[in-house]
Each structure stands twice: as C-alpha cells, then as structure tokens.
Amino acid sequence: MRQIDHFIVGGAPAATRFADVMDPNNGGVQAQVALGDQAVLDQAVAAAQAAQPAWAAMNPQRRSRVMFNFKALIEKHMDELAHMLSAEHGKVIADSKGDIQRGLEVVEFCCGLPHVMKGEYTQSAGPGIDVYSMRQPIGIGAGITPFNFPAMIPLWMGAVAISVGNAFLLKPSERDPSVPNRLAELFIEAGLPEGIFQVIHGDKVMVDAILDHPAIGAVSFVGSSDIAHYVYNRGVAAGKRVQAMGGAKNHGIVMPDADLDQVVNDLCGAAYGSAGERCMALPVVVPVGDDTAERLKAKLIPAIEALRVGISTDEEAHYGPVVTAQHKAKVEGWIQTAIDEGSELVVDGRGFKMQGHEEGYFLGPTLLDRVTTDMESYKEEIFGPVLQIVRAPDFETALSLPSKHQYGNGVAIFTRNGHAAREFASRVNVGMVGINVPIPVPVAYHSFGGWKRSGFGDTDQYGMEGIKFWTKVKKVTARWPDGSPYGGNAFVIPTMG
Ligand code: NAD
C-alpha cells in the first residue's frame, strides 16, 4: 500500500497512526497518509525557526524570483498535478486544472510582492522628525485546509505567507494529501530554502497541537463552520492571529427579466460542477415570481437530465464522484430529509451507478422544488450535486433569503436590470456577490472571504487582505537632532507642535 508521509526537514519519523486515502472513482483504499503528533510538529517548527530569519532578511526581489521559478514549475507539471488531484478528490481533470490555476494566480500575485510590501513614510512629521512604517512577517504561520481545493487553498495561504518572509506549515486534508506534498517538492526545486514550506499531515490531534504551539503566530483555516469556529476560538485563546473560513449555502436570485438560457447553463455548472463540492457552488436558486419559477424549471429539467457524470479522466464528463462513501451517504441522507420535509423531488440523483465503476462514489444530479426556509435541508450545507428551488414572490423577499441565512459566503443575481443589480449588491448581507456571474471568486489581487458563519476573524484570503494577515506593521518615529536644543517638556505626552 502506498504511504504518504510528512514533508518536513530531517525526514518524517515512523508513523504509528494512519488515515485511509480513498479512490472515489473505484471505491476502496488507494493509499495511507501518516497522521502526525506533537513530536512531528515540534520537528517541523524547529526547522522553520532555523530557516525563517535568513529567509525574512533576504532581498524581497530574491524571494520573488523563487515565486517566479515556482510558477514556471507548476505550469510545467500542470498535467501531472491535475491527474494526482483528480485521483484522490474525484473532480474531473479540467476542473483540477482550474483548481491549480486559481492557486497559480495567487503565486503570480506574489511575484510582485516587493511593490505592495513597501511601507509608508512621512518626512518632517515634527521638527527633525520622520515617521515610517514597515510590514514585517509574523515568523511562523500555519494553514489548515479542506479536501475540496487541495491545490488552490494551500496556495492562497502558503504563497502569500512565505512571500512576505514567513515560514509556513501546511496541514492539508487527510482525504487528498498528495498534491500538497508535490507542491512542497516543487518549492524546493524552485529554490525555496528548506524549512520555509513544510507539510505536516494529521487529524484533530495535529490541529490542536498547531493551535496550542507557542512558536506559531498565525493560523489560517478553511473548512466546515463548526470546526472553523472551534479553530478560531482555540487559536485566539492561545494568543494567535486567526482567520477561519467556514461552510456556505449560496443563493442565485433569478429576476423575471433574466436571460434564462444563460441562467440554466450557469446554474448547471455552479450547482453540479465538482459534484457540488465547492464553497462557492450555487445550491439554492430563487426565482422571483411563480411565472419565472415555472419557465426556469421547464428549461432546467432537460438540462439537468442531459448532464454527464463520469470518472475523473472522462473528458466528456461534467462532473465526477464525490470524495468518500461517507460523504455520498450524507448527501443521500439530505435528499431524503428534504423529501420528508415536504420538498418536491423533481430529478432524483440517488441510486446512480457508473458502469464499470460500480463501487465508485457517484451521485446523479438532484433537483428539489418548493423548498422553504424552515426546512433543515435548506438551513444546512449539503455539499453535493443537489439544487434546491426556493420560490420568492418579489425582489425584497429574494434579497432577504441570503441576507438572513446563517451562511454568507457568496450570492449571485441574474438580471438585465442595472438598478436591481446595484441595489442587490449594496444591500445583501453576504461577503461575495456575482452579478450575472454564478461563482464570484475574486481574482488574486482582490481578496476572498465570506461573512457570518462562513468566515470568522476580520481578514480575507490573498490580495492585500492576505498580506495584512501574514504581516505585522512596525511604526518608527525618528529624530535626527541638528544640534539645536530640543525645547519640548519631556514630562508631557509628546506632540508634533
Ligand atoms: P472539514 O472541516 O472536515 O476539514 C477541514 C480541515 O479541518 C481538515 O484539514 C481536517 O483535517 C481538519 N479537521 C477535521 N475535523 C477536525 C476536528 N474535529 N478538529 C480539528 N480539525 C479538524 O472540511 P472538509 O470536509 O475538508 O471541506 C469541506 C468544507 O469546507 C465545506 O463546509 C466547505 O464549504 C468548506 N470550505 C469553505 C471555503 C471557504 O473559503 N469559505 C472554501 C472551501 C471549503
């Protein structure tokens, strides 16, 4: 059985605990990943402490060159990485390339970091006094990441953290751990000093050890909301800077004037792409008015029935299997709950079998209508290929649905009416908004982050928000006397006159 070890300086010690890495396309176990403990973390932290000061002291343009090299290596190994990713996650190859590409774009942003790291300077803020500020790295940071984007999310955090001079410890999901290790190898090949980007595998034991470790100054987490909340509270209680992104239930509002053919195309991709296992998926559609609902449903049904589910390497497939058998059972359970709660089952994706891959974790697409806000299946995240229709009588009701939902990650409105779109974007209580854009993940030089139970902490991922998270600002007030006597009263709080 293939074994996946930690990527740490000095080599991984013999592991005593392992987790199974499943094969979503065929079922069964394909590898085992080591689950680390305090001793593994201590070894990685010691290496990080040894390497970080010299890395932080390096000219920023030299750190940039490492990122340029790394970018070229990811491009060179795109196919290999995509196949590795799909084999453990289950998403189709084209989608894995998208996962890697969105991470790569953050690496590209990091190539230009010397420019954005420049501080502020005020000459003659007082007599002979200059004031300046500089951004300095935290020291050692850690990232804890989910299974659904095993390339993009580690790079959201890790690329920014190291570019500004930190050492970074990545604790990836134990369900698809191979790509993170490969990224660590490519960083070394790109010229990154040993100890600056290490990968420590594990479960709650490792996460708790990270949260309590006194040498780790900042922790970035992405995963489900209950764990995000736990990580946030425990990390902050230990005196760390923490950002913790959680789950989602994104709504797509369809106004009566929307281009329904375009909407159906967008909804199929955003609800069922990656088998619905995206935090920016659109699992809820809100048609405004019954007429819109009926027209939309009539177009959606044949489009959904035409979707092709396939193994990850099937180039014609729209989406592949979900990640594990347990997750498949959980999604099927939610479909049953939705029916029991009174939703109308329009298309049933349960019981789908892939010929030749009968043990794989496949689910056909499901469509549910007449879903209401009191249903548990509406309130909670399903994270599978399931689209729920919640009908709204008017714009105000449609606006209130995502605004009142416990999650506030992303939302989209489909309309030709500029005023309605503008009003919606300004008033909706959600962190990321798409206007005729179903998956509004901001580009790498903006920032990513949801609101309410989708995000704990006050900074977002990547862009300037990422730089803020991974740095501290030092403020220097300097006086260079010109020989004339200083006339101030030393016992009064200094003012600049
Ligand atoms: P998860 O919460 O199960 O796992 C995330 C990380 O937490 C993993 O590294 C895991 O090892 C660790 N972990 C698991 N159980 C733990 C525990 N009890 N204590 C401490 N750590 C624990 O999430 P997942 O299933 O891997 O990913 C899917 C979830 O992530 C969904 O809820 C999805 O919406 C969310 N997500 C959110 C965003 C975002 O930016 N808001 C992005 C991607 C995914």
Side-chain angles (χ1 to χ4, degrees), residues 262-284:
Q262 184 65 46
V263 169
V264 166
N265 188 51
D266 287 349
L267 278 178
C268 283
Y272 302 111
S274 198
E277 293 170 322
R278 291 184 186 136
C279 69
M280 289 295 274
L282 268 190
V284 177

Side-chain angles (χ1 to χ4, degrees), residues 11 63 66 78 145 159 192 194 217 230 234 285 341 376 450 489 495:
R63 290 202 302 264
V66 173
M78 179 62 90
T145 55
L192 189 73
E194 279 199 333
Y230 165 80
R234 186 157 174 163
V285 59
E341 289 176 318
E376 288 306 308
N489 178 348
T495 65

